Amino acid sequence: MKVLILGSGVVGVTSAYYLARQGHEVTVVDRQEAPAMETSYGNAGQVSFGFSSPWAAPGIPQKAVKWMFQEHAPLKIQPKMDPSMARFMMQMFNNCTADRYAVNKERMVRVAEYSRHCIDTLRADTGIRYEDRQRGLLQLFRHDYQVEAVAKDMKVLAQCGVRHDLLDAEQVKAVEPALNRVPGKFVGGLHLPDDQTGDCHLFTNRLADYCRDQLGVEFRFGVTIERIKRSAGRVESVVTSAGELTADAYVVCLGSFSPMLVKDLDIRLPIYPVKGYSLTIPVVDDGGAPQSTVMDETFKVAISRFDDRIRVGGTAELASYDLSLLEKRRATISMVVKDVFPEGGDMARAEFWTGLRPMTPDSTPIIGGTKYDNLWLNTGHGTLGWTMSCGSGQLLADLMSGRRPGIDPKGLDVARYAA
């Protein structure tokens, strides 16, 4: 079967890998000149299977109001005359109940844990490396109430078979020795030993090279996707700046831009771009730098270790498709990394970046078919695109090939929003 994948971020490239492995003839199209040049370029560097949690959680509406008046808040809203923003926020707040949180958390962990198995297998099968480390993730708590609140997450993790350990203030220092240099800041932490780190941009590019050289995948860069043509319940072609492209099946992996492409097909995707920022900092003191990924729960900032760099990612900003780099957001993530690892990196040489995370109101990706029998979706992964990419790609390939998938796809496709 000829498959045309729209988008060459980490989700698009992993989809291409798994489809090509199953014998399909795959072409990937993207407006950029290389893979992973948008949201996948400068993400936080964490592959956090166990840390997959919905943003929509009990108490978030109240916290959102409080965060509006805080300088270093994890969520910021840029007021705009944007009906889609208001609709997204309302849908998200409707998911902030204990019952919806439990359902959404289970779906996310189901995909993420499957993805852990898939990426481990992919790494063994392809041999690619991407400054990766398999040393876990440490969620750090500055307050006792955060330790108490994590109990509900631990319950879901236990139900899903995810290894985890609740640590006290001394035990977190054994996991991340550099925390000995900042005594008294943290009361404990949740350690997820099976989580991983690495450079998503490097991973995606090396996997794309493997797909092209070993699996015959064709990549067409610098091609703008304009619209999809349909006929008699099927997709007929994709109109691009390079002409009309045809295939037997089509896969939309365009992240935050997916809703605009399928809107004319009467498919409504409740995906909204949530802007995130990152810093990439050269390591100057190995002993003062993280050894894996640390998540500061108070500020929702992740700090990850590459070979000789530290990647710091955080803040969520609702600002439509605005990609301007705001210095006050840089100030927040700079403050956190200097507070947690003050001697690890050279802040004067930090590189500042921003990207758009494709968020759904329930934080769960959209994976599966549509009302068009040859149009498929793999999009809406939010902050966990890389974490879920391999599991999502494998699941999608199995569904498209008519194979029995490795996990239950129930509740993951766009049909869950029909009500």
Side-chain angles (χ1 to χ4, degrees):
M1 180 170 64
K2 290 182 62 177
V3 180
L4 182 65
I5 295 178
L6 310 179
S8 70
V10 66
V11 173
V13 173
T14 51
S15 297
Y17 170 77
Y18 289 106
L19 283 162
R21 290 262 302 189
Q22 294 186 8
H24 300 293
E25 183 182 338
V26 180
T27 299
V28 181
V29 179
D30 199 288
R31 65 182 178 182
Q32 297 291 346
E33 297 299 328
M37 292 304 295
E38 297 193 32
T39 303
S40 300
Y41 182 81
N43 76 358
Q46 61 188 98
V47 193
S48 46
F49 316 108
F51 194 68
S52 300
S53 296
W55 282 27
I60 287 296
Q62 295 84 353
K63 290 180 181 179
V65 174
K66 182 179 68 175
W67 288 335
M68 291 175 64
F69 305 99
Q70 291 183 359
E71 180 183 3
H72 297 302
L75 173 66
K76 289 290 185 179
I77 300 172
Q78 297 288 346
K80 293 178 180 292
M81 296 298 293
D82 183 359
S84 60
M85 178 192 292
R87 187 164 51 248
F88 171 80
M89 292 178 64
M90 183 176 298
Q91 291 173 318
M92 179 178 171
F93 288 162
N94 286 340
N95 276 277
C96 292
T97 66
D99 289 344
R100 292 307 309 165
Y101 181 89
V103 170
N104 297 332
K105 173 81 174 180
E106 185 280 326
R107 289 173 178 171
M108 295 177 72
V109 174
R110 188 196 326 159
V111 178
E113 272 298 289
Y114 182 53
S115 200
R116 177 177 63 82
H117 165 76
C118 291
I119 196 172
D120 288 345
T121 303
L122 181 150
R123 193 167 53 246
D125 288 345
T126 64
I128 66 170
R129 303 311 297 257
Y130 40 92
E131 299 191 24
D132 52 295
R133 296 182 178 211
Q134 291 77 49
R135 300 186 186 181
L137 176 145
L138 180 62
Q139 181 183 10
L140 287 173
F141 305 126
R142 294 174 182 261
H143 309 286
D144 290 332
Y145 70 81
Q146 294 171 328
V147 177
E148 297 169 1
V150 81
K152 63 180 183 295
D153 284 341
M154 293 172 62
K155 183 177 179 180
V156 176
L157 292 174
Q159 291 171 347
C160 295
V162 180
R163 290 201 302 154
H164 60 282
D165 298 293
L166 187 62
L167 309 181
D168 62 25
E170 290 303 312
Q171 290 171 320
V172 297
K173 299 174 186 177
V175 174
E176 284 288 352
L179 296 178
N180 282 290
R181 303 189 185 186
V182 287
K185 288 191 182 293
F186 303 102
V187 299
L190 181 67
H191 187 224
L192 300 155
D194 295 323
D195 283 7
Q196 304 175 13
T197 62
D199 186 331
C200 181
H201 178 256
L202 186 58
F203 170 86
T204 308
N205 274 266
R206 289 186 173 172
L207 184 60
D209 290 342
Y210 184 92
C211 287
R212 183 186 62 246
D213 298 340
Q214 303 298 325
L215 300 175
V217 174
E218 179 184 1
F219 289 87
R220 300 191 62 175
F221 295 113
V223 176
T224 301
I225 299 160
E226 297 173 356
R227 62 188 176 92
I228 295 175
K229 292 178 66 174
R230 59 179 169 173
S231 176
R234 288 176 59 84
V235 170
E236 184 179 289
S237 66
V238 175
V239 180
T240 75
S241 59
E244 290 192 30
L245 304 180
T246 61
D248 300 311
Y250 303 81
V251 183
V252 177
C253 301
L254 291 172
S256 297
F257 298 92
S258 300
M260 290 178 280
L261 183 66
V262 302
K263 183 179 179 180
D264 290 342
L265 303 178
D266 297 321
I267 298 174
R268 297 293 181 263
L269 299 182
I271 294 173
Y272 193 80
V274 176
K275 190 176 179 182
Y277 296 85
S278 74
L279 291 172
T280 305
I281 308 164
V283 172
V284 294
D285 180 355
D286 182 74
Q291 296 306 304
S292 189
T293 291
V294 166
M295 168 62 73
D296 189 321
E297 176 63 15
T298 300
F299 299 100
K300 307 293 187 184
V301 169
I303 308 170
S304 296
R305 177 65 181 272
F306 298 165
D307 286 354
D308 56 4
R309 296 171 294 154
I310 300 170
R311 172 68 54 78
V312 190
T315 77
E317 184 176 279
L318 273 65
S320 190
Y321 290 86
D322 176 18
L323 282 171
S324 57
L325 288 164
L326 300 183
E327 285 300 316
K328 52 189 174 182
R329 304 292 177 257
R330 178 175 186 152
T332 294
I333 54 178
S334 296
M335 179 275 296
V336 174
V337 70
K338 287 189 288 187
D339 190 57
V340 182
F341 299 106
E343 301 169 352
D346 184 352
M347 294 296 296
R349 291 191 289 151
E351 298 177 5
F352 192 30
W353 173 89
T354 188
L356 303 175
R357 308 159 172 141
M359 294 293 298
T360 60
D362 54 14
S363 300
T364 306
I366 301 171
I367 310 164
T370 67
K371 60 184 178 181
Y372 300 92
D373 59 14
N374 64 339
L375 179 65
W376 300 78
L377 303 171
N378 195 4
T379 187
H381 294 74
T383 60
L384 297 171
W386 188 20
T387 294
M388 296 185 176
S389 62
C390 291
S392 299
Q394 178 71 77
L395 173 61
L396 181 78
D398 288 340
L399 293 172
M400 292 179 66
S401 301
R403 299 186 179 188
R404 182 177 180 178
I407 58 171
D408 185 355
K410 182 179 179 181
L412 298 177
D413 65 11
V414 70
R416 74 179 185 266
Y417 297 112

